[in-house]
């Protein structure tokens, strides 16, 4: 995103003009930023077999999935519905892995039946997988290494109380099940949480898996999950992927030597690939001055962007209708009847009712976590690709909202 001749543009497309055409609230995604992030990862792991499986749940629009496919990126899906979307986007089953948590065995069986690589994260499902397939279909096991990692307890998944993965303390039980059914375990997986800053945490997780790996002779890959932290504002720390690449490549090579053959590294980034690419454009409905604060009430809220309330995420904002005005400090709040503060102490060029505010870094878990709370309609989505804006989801209509409701005679 750039400011050019006092216009706020992405690949030459003026964002204020976009809101005139498509209205607000509007999610806008910059395809070039997604492509850049993919490149950054590929470069960081150059010389090592590495596969990227985009965590589709971060941003699931079918056109985004198609973009990922065009960039040579595989998919990590967590539900049957995500898997069906992946097929609709043209993905082959061999480029998809299914990493569910707490789903019914029927769903796992359906995915495995489609030829998708399945990751199992509890012993009961491992048993059922064994009873059903024996060693006929490979599977990956998700371990919980009990590392406390990640920026926020709600997004940290590797600690001892976490529902994710099978505890490394249960390794002998796992081995029993594997032996009983002759299971072909071709991958090991850990995903310790989101917003991990330290290379060191990844390396620690990795070294735990290296230790476990010798118990599984059929491995083809090790999946280190994701959790890469992205920076939300200028100067904010982010995971240093280049540093991670350098260190992990060295450790992994030594591990492979010990294991006896070269394995692949897999990652499942969500946020890292799409967060920065996304901007939520909202309209300033009301500027309200109270004795303590100046509020800007916008035509969106926790129904379209829940991360600030759920995870205390910080999002930089820009008043793109007034790029030169005096700056003031505001609280930017939503229009939902609930406290839905999108940002406190936000410095913006002076806001007049009707101005468009750009909320940055909203590509990941923005639209995909949106709801119809307060019976509000969901925003449209636009993808800017090769300098051209494409509408990739129309704005919802009241008809969409009532389509599934049944009005009985009362
Ligand atoms: C959510 C999730 C990811 C992606 O996490 P990010 O923090 O968005 O990169 C990767 N793997 C699994 C198993 C997940 O559940």
């Amino acid at each position: 995103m750039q400011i050019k001749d006092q216009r706020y543009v992405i690949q030459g497309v003026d964002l204020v003009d976009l809101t005139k055409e498509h209205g607000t609230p509007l999610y806008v995604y910059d395809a070039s930023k997604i492509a850049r992030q993919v490149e950054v990862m590929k470069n960081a792991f150059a010389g090592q077999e590495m596969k990227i499986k985009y965590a589709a749940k971060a941003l699931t629009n079918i056109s985004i999935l198609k973009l990922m496919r065009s960039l040579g990126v595989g998919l990590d899906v967590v539900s049957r519905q995500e898997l069906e979307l992946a097929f609709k986007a043209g993905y082959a089953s061999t480029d998809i892995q299914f990493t569910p948590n707490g789903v019914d065995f029927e769903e796992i069986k359906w995915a495995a039946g489609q030829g998708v690589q399945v990751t199992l994260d509890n012993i009961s499902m491992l048993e059922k997988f064994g009873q059903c397939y024996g060693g006929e279909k490979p599977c990956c096991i998700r371990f919980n290494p009990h590392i406390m990692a990640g920026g926020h307890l709600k997004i940290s998944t590797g600690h001892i109380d976490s529902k994710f993965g099978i505890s490394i303390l249960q390794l002998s039980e796992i081995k029993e099940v594997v032996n009983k059914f002759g299971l072909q375990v071709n991958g090991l997986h850990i995903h310790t949480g989101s917003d991990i800053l330290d290379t060191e945490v990844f390396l620690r997780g990795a070294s735990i898996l290296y230790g476990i790996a010798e118990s599984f002779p059929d491995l083809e890959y090790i999946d280190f999950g994701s959790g890469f932290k992205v920076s939300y504002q200028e100067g904010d720390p982010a995971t240093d992927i280049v540093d991670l690449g350098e260190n992990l490549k060295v450790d992994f090579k030594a591990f492979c030597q010990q294991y006896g053959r070269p394995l692949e590294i897999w990652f499942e980034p969500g946020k890292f690939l799409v967060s920065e690419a996304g901007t939520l454009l909202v309209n300033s409905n009301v500027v309200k001055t109270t004795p303590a604060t100046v509020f800007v009430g916008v035509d969106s809220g926790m129904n379209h962007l829940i991360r600030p309330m759920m995870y205390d995420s910080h999002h930089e904002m820009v008043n793109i209708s007034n790029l030169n005005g005096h700056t003031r400090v505001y609280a930017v709040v939503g229009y939902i009847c609930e406290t839905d503060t999108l940002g406190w102490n936000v410095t913006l060029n002076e806001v007049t009712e009707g101005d468009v505010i750009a909320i940055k870094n909203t590509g990941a878990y923005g639209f995909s976590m949106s709801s119809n709370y307060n019976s509000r309609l969901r925003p449209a989505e636009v993808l800017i690709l090769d300098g051209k804006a494409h509408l990739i989801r129309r704005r919802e209509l009241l008809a969409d909202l009532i389509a599934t409701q049944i009005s009985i005679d009362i």
Side-chain angles (χ1 to χ4, degrees), residues 53-58 76-78 97 99-100 142 155 157 164 189-191 193-196 223 225-229 267-274 364-365:
K53 307 278 171 180
Y54 166 57
K57 72 180 194 281
D76 175 68
V77 300
V78 293
Q97 68 165 337
T99 313
R142 178 173 183 172
I155 50 177
T157 59
F164 296 100
H189 172 280
I190 43 167
H191 174 67
S194 279
D195 278 2
I196 302 169
D223 182 341
S226 173
F228 306 128
K229 184 169 167 49
F267 283 112
E268 315 161 337
K271 211 181 285 164
F272 183 81
L273 297 186
V274 296
Y365 310 104

Side-chain angles (χ1 to χ4, degrees), residues 202-277:
F202 278 96
L203 297 179
R204 199 142 42 91
S207 71
I208 291 171
L209 277 192
Y210 300 152
I212 291 172
E214 58 193 34
S215 303
F216 302 95
D218 302 325
L219 294 182
E220 290 162 11
Y221 68 93
I222 306 266
D223 182 341
F224 293 111
S226 173
F228 306 128
K229 184 169 167 49
V230 297
S231 58
Y232 285 103
Q233 55 191 327
E234 210 66 50
D236 211 16
T239 307
D240 185 345
I241 202 102
V242 176
D243 179 54
L244 175 66
E246 274 172 15
N247 285 290
L248 193 56
K249 273 193 286 190
V250 173
D251 283 15
F252 197 75
K253 196 165 252 166
F255 154 70
C256 288
Q257 225 139 42
Q258 206 180 341
Y259 188 73
R261 60 196 154 82
L263 302 183
E264 291 178 1
I265 289 180
W266 289 18
F267 283 112
E268 315 161 337
K271 211 181 285 164
F272 183 81
L273 297 186
V274 296
S275 178
E276 244 192 277

